Amino acid sequence: MTPEQIHLVKDSWEKVLPAQEDAAKIFYHRLFEKHPEVKHYFKGKIKQQGKKLITMMSTAVNNLDNLEVLIEPLKQSGKAHEGYNVKPEDYDKVGDALLWTLQQELGDDFTPETKKAWSETYTIVSSVMKDGARNMPAVKKRPTKDPGCSFCGRYRK
């Protein structure tokens, strides 16, 4: 990513954060409306899942200029999501819902350049997660008091 793309993503994310709860609701509504087949992956309350989504995205956005710190947590998250039976093609569905949500939240500020920067960001995140799903050793079942995936907080079964 270019420094300009990183700036666009960080700047636009700061504009989304004040409405983060609404953004998360919009995201999941769009995801489930367009791709109802993925709804079974999401256990528990969507409001909690929305908080995890915002935390995950904030972590990624805040570290775009130091991607090395994201690699291991993203790979671990990808392996954990493989354990939930998430398929590689499901990442595209999430990416589509994310970009649509950002467009809704940012309005005219979601310029073609900003969209391209976010597409690049999501491509990096999802690619590393998919690589982790393919290449990392199996994730052991976590104790029930464990907070879950180190990146998104999701519990394993």
Side-chain angles (χ1 to χ4, degrees):
M1 292 186 71
T2 68
E4 181 180 299
Q5 287 177 313
I6 291 170
H7 173 75
L8 284 169
V9 169
K10 287 185 175 195
D11 184 55
S12 60
W13 188 244
E14 285 299 316
K15 293 174 184 174
V16 171
L17 282 177
Q20 60 187 278
E21 194 172 309
D22 287 337
K25 273 191 229 176
I26 290 169
F27 168 81
Y28 285 109
H29 183 278
R30 177 68 172 194
L31 180 63
F32 299 152
E33 176 183 66
K34 290 292 182 181
H35 307 286
E37 69 276 10
V38 303
K39 192 169 186 175
H40 74 277
Y41 295 139
F42 299 90
K43 310 291 184 211
K45 299 184 188 292
I46 288 300
K47 188 172 183 176
Q48 279 297 103
Q49 190 64 39
K51 289 179 183 181
K52 293 175 186 179
L53 171 72
I54 297 299
T55 298
M56 179 190 77
M57 292 305 302
S58 293
T59 300
V61 168
N62 291 334
N63 288 289
L64 284 177
D65 41 14
N66 187 13
L67 290 174
E68 286 301 311
V69 301
L70 292 174
I71 300 295
E72 196 60 29
L74 284 171
K75 284 184 175 184
Q76 289 174 6
S77 182
K79 185 49 109 175
H81 283 80
E82 180 192 47
Y84 316 136
N85 298 315
V86 173
K87 297 168 184 57
E89 60 269 19
D90 294 329
Y91 287 89
D92 293 338
K93 298 168 187 175
V94 169
D96 289 342
L98 175 64
L99 292 176
W100 186 87
T101 301
L102 290 167
Q103 182 178 19
Q104 301 309 302
E105 290 295 310
L106 294 168
D108 291 342
D109 288 337
F110 197 65
T111 64
E113 295 81 16
T114 302
K115 181 178 182 178
K116 185 175 180 183
W118 271 103
S119 293
E120 181 69 21
T121 299
Y122 186 74
T123 297
I124 290 168
V125 168
S126 63
S127 295
V128 174
M129 288 179 72
K130 287 187 265 187
D131 180 59
R134 283 189 306 270
N135 297 317
M136 288 195 69
V139 178
K140 293 181 181 177
K141 191 171 184 177
R142 294 186 175 104
T144 56
K145 292 186 180 180
D146 187 56
C149 170
S150 62
F151 196 70
C152 74
R154 167 100 193 244
Y155 289 100
R156 286 191 45 83
K157 295 178 183 177

